Amino acid sequence: MAERVRGQRLAPSILSADFSRLGEEVERVVEAGCDIIHFDVMDNHYVPNLTIGPLVCEAIRPRTKAPIDVHLMVRPVDALVPMFAKAGADIISFHPEASDHLDRTLSLIRDQGCRAGLAFNPATPLHYLDHVMDRLDLILVMSVNPGFGGQSFIPSALDKIADIRRRIDEHAARTGSDIWLEVDGGIKPANIRAVADAGADTFVAGSAIFGSPDAGGGYRGVVGRMRDELAAPLAAQGRAA
Ligand code: DX5
Ligand code: ZN
């Protein structure tokens, strides 16, 4: 039970926000109790979609004090890192398949003053973690294939989350440094608790938040439902302790 009080950060993905009034959307999700702004960057090369870049990051930066969590789904990676750092990113994650030199890219992100994250697609093996744990501030587990919002959660992600949680805890016991475990794709009130129970501490949600039926009245409703799920005692969930 003590593990449950590990961080429980909600990170709305602005991919599903109304881009015609993005600044306001960012303010509204933070007012509703979200912790981090998840910023999906797609290049029509590493993934088959095209989204937003450093100029948009720079534009929303003054609208919130919440950390901006840039998820790079791009190849190559390195040239964009200083651009996003300059645009106000706090966290920058990338996919290991998209960089020829993992260690170099991770070091570059920290050298630019940001926290560094590594993102794992559903079929990406975890051996990429083997020699870089001390370079990481965050591990991002994709529970959908990257490229689009609104896809369904892939259940095998739960085993992967549990596996990474063991590695993070072992690393923390040995070094004293914490690494966030973020999960991205298909998260909603109905499954966020299972994701937390598997070991995640940071939850990305795009369509579930920005597309919620009561979104017109603000995002407090859906954010509250997610927080309630995370806080509910095990018995209320019908799970064994
Ligand atoms: C997918 C993106 C996700 C996505 C999440 O490639 O990395 O951040 O926008 O959206 P939902 O929560 O709708 O799956
Ligand atoms: Zn993402």
Side-chain angles (χ1 to χ4, degrees):
M1 291 292 283
E3 291 164 308
R4 183 124 343 99
V5 292
R6 184 193 293 142
Q8 290 185 333
R9 293 168 282 264
L10 291 183
S13 163
I14 56 171
L15 188 60
S16 294
D18 179 348
F19 279 115
S20 71
R21 47 191 187 90
L22 191 53
E24 193 187 318
E25 291 274 72
V26 165
E27 289 169 355
R28 289 172 79 208
V29 284
V30 174
E31 274 162 26
C34 293
D35 306 288
I36 296 169
I37 299 300
H38 186 80
F39 191 103
D40 285 310
V41 183
M42 304 183 189
D43 67 347
N44 191 38
H45 175 66
Y46 179 67
V47 291
N49 201 353
L50 187 62
T51 60
I52 46 180
L55 282 176
V56 176
C57 184
E58 194 178 349
I60 64 167
R61 182 66 284 178
R63 305 295 288 258
T64 184
K65 289 187 168 50
I68 298 179
D69 169 30
V70 172
H71 175 192
L72 294 179
M73 289 160 274
V74 304
R75 182 197 287 135
V77 178
D78 291 8
L80 284 177
V81 169
M83 294 171 78
F84 272 104
K86 196 158 169 258
D90 296 279
I91 303 166
I92 300 179
S93 301
F94 66 98
H95 290 250
E97 305 92 334
S99 169
D100 288 329
H101 305 286
L102 277 198
D103 186 89
R104 177 181 287 154
T105 305
L106 289 168
S107 299
L108 174 65
I109 293 170
R110 282 187 172 171
D111 288 349
Q112 291 290 317
C114 298
R115 283 177 274 163
L118 203 53
F120 289 81
N121 289 334
T124 303
L126 298 184
H127 65 69
Y128 286 110
L129 290 173
D130 285 352
H131 305 288
V132 297
M133 289 294 277
D134 59 355
R135 295 255 186 269
L136 292 177
D137 301 294
L138 176 147
I139 298 170
L140 174 56
V141 176
M142 294 305 297
S143 39
V144 298
N145 287 292
F148 304 94
Q151 303 180 80
S152 297
F153 186 89
I154 297 173
S156 63
L158 294 174
D159 286 341
K160 198 170 209 173
I161 295 163
D163 192 340
I164 296 173
R165 168 51 57 197
R166 281 190 289 275
R167 292 179 190 230
I168 289 175
D169 288 349
E170 189 272 333
H171 181 75
R174 199 159 37 79
T175 66
S177 54
D178 189 29
I179 298 173
W180 292 4
L181 177 40
E182 180 175 50
V183 180
D184 182 5
I187 294 184
K188 40 180 73 74
N191 62 13
I192 193 169
R193 179 55 180 271
V195 176
D197 287 350
D201 53 40
T202 306
F203 308 88
V204 177
S207 51
I209 291 179
F210 289 104
S212 68
D214 48 355
Y219 297 115
R220 285 186 192 279
V222 63
V223 169
R225 287 195 291 284
M226 288 182 168
R227 296 272 184 216
D228 288 349
E229 284 293 329
L230 290 170
L234 283 177
Q237 302 278 322
R239 292 185 185 85

